[in-house]
Each structure stands twice: as structure tokens, then as C-alpha cells.
Amino acid sequence: MVDVFEEVEDQIRTERYMALAKRLAPWAIGAGVALTIGLGGVWGYQAWHNAQSDKAGQIYLDAIEALQNQDEGKATALFGELTHSPLKIYKVAGYMDQGGLRLQAGKPQEAAELFDKAAALASDPFVKDLARLKSALALMDTAPYKDIEARLTPLTDDKRPLHLSAREALAFAKLQAGKTKEARADFNALSLALGAPEGVVQRARVAIDLIDSGSGPAMSQAVKDSLTVNPNQFAPPGMPQGPEGAPQ
């Protein structure tokens, strides 16, 4: 009799398990399908990203080759094409290098607008501030001092990646605006700044000497030239620099 009861219990238990399995089966199948779709989506995105990166990288290399062949028209068009890339880093590169070429062509306002677009789009703090610095430098000869000051002052904070370059640029802007005393004080601070690159220190000392000798206005263009970053210096990770190389 005990065997009969055990057999009945086993049967009931089996029926319950079967019923439970039937209820859970759609969920289990759905989870499996979701996992498969998820993995497929990740793989698909990676493949898409790689394809877009390869495409944009080739456009960038073609632009650099055009520059090496002194075909600035083609280079400008190719950098412009990069600004439509779905990959942000290449969009930023397109705006930055287009801006450099506009500046080289004597179109500072257009250059500044392109640098501003790069700054607005960039997520990396260094790249963002580099674009802002280049925009300010592009406008140095045409914009009022107050505008240049407003652009550069936030970049001079010690926590910003290019604060020394921004301080140097602001000192030059003051000198150009006739604020010689303030400019000298800024150059003096730069010449004594801990951790300042040797180039910054040397230029600051030269600036002080020229100001003291009364030649400050004459050295303004030389100072600006030393601060202006090469137009072809910005490259996405893994891409070569332009023919003029990276700034020191």
C-alpha cells in the first residue's frame, strides 16, 4: 500500500513539475532570445563602430596626404567630410583641422567659429580647452580685449589642462591692449611658475626684457606666433600628426 501512495505522490509531483515547466517555458525562451539579441546587438554595434572608424581614419589619412601634396582645397573638403562622421572624435578633428586651415588662409573669424564648434562637441578636457585657446588666439588681432579676456580667463584656472598657455596668451593680449604693467606682472609670474615648461619661462623672460627696454609692442607678433598652435597638429588617437608635427 505504501508503494501505491508513493507512486501517486511521484505522479502528482511530476505533474506539478510539468505544469510549472509549461508556465516557465515562455519566460525561459524569451530570456534566451533576449540574450541572443543582446549579444548580437553588441557585436553589431562593434562591427558598425569599427567600420565607421576605418572609414573616417582613411579620410583623415587622405587629408594629411593632400596637405603633404600642398592641395589645401582637397584637404579642406576631406576635413569637412569628417565633421559629418558619426564618431565624435573624428567630428572634432574635422572642425579643428578645418579651423587651422582657415586661420592659415587669413580667415580668423571662420577659424574661430570652427574651433568653437570643436570645443562645444569635445568631451576630453584637454581637447576642449585646446579648441577654446585656439579660438581666442585666432581672434586676438580683431576682437576687443574684453572679448579675448572673457575667453581666456576661465582657461587660466590652475586646474585646467592648458592654464599656463592661457596665462601666456592673456599676458600677450594685455600687452597688445596697452596694459603693459599688467602684462609685465603676468610674464614675471610665468617666469617664476613652478613646473612651467622651459619654453614658457624663456619667452616670459624675453617679454620682460623687451617691455623694460620699451620694445614691448614690437614683440607682440612674435609672441603671438609662438603661441599659435600648428593648424595640422590635431589628430585622433592612432592617427599620424600633420606634416608640421605636434606642438612643443
Side-chain angles (χ1 to χ4, degrees), residues 5 11 13 25 35-36 39 51 53 86 90 99 126 211 214 226 234 245:
F5 285 126
Q11 185 174 352
R13 202 177 294 120
L35 179 60
T36 301
L39 292 174
S53 182
Y90 283 100
F126 178 87
I211 290 172
S226 72
F234 185 81

Side-chain angles (χ1 to χ4, degrees), residues 7 15 17 34-35 37 50 53-54 56 82 86 119 161 164-165 178 227 229:
E7 184 177 344
E15 290 176 353
Y17 289 154
L35 179 60
I37 293 174
N50 290 341
S53 182
D54 290 344
L82 281 181
L164 290 173
S165 294
L227 290 171
V229 185

Side-chain angles (χ1 to χ4, degrees), residues 23-72:
R23 289 200 301 271
L24 293 179
W27 294 100
I29 293 172
V33 170
L35 179 60
T36 301
I37 293 174
L39 292 174
V42 170
W43 179 87
Y45 173 78
Q46 190 62 49
W48 172 86
H49 186 278
N50 290 341
Q52 292 297 325
S53 182
D54 290 344
K55 178 182 177 181
Q58 187 57 56
I59 293 173
Y60 182 84
L61 292 175
D62 291 344
I64 295 300
E65 183 178 0
L67 286 175
Q68 291 172 339
N69 294 331
Q70 299 184 344
D71 189 348
E72 292 188 5

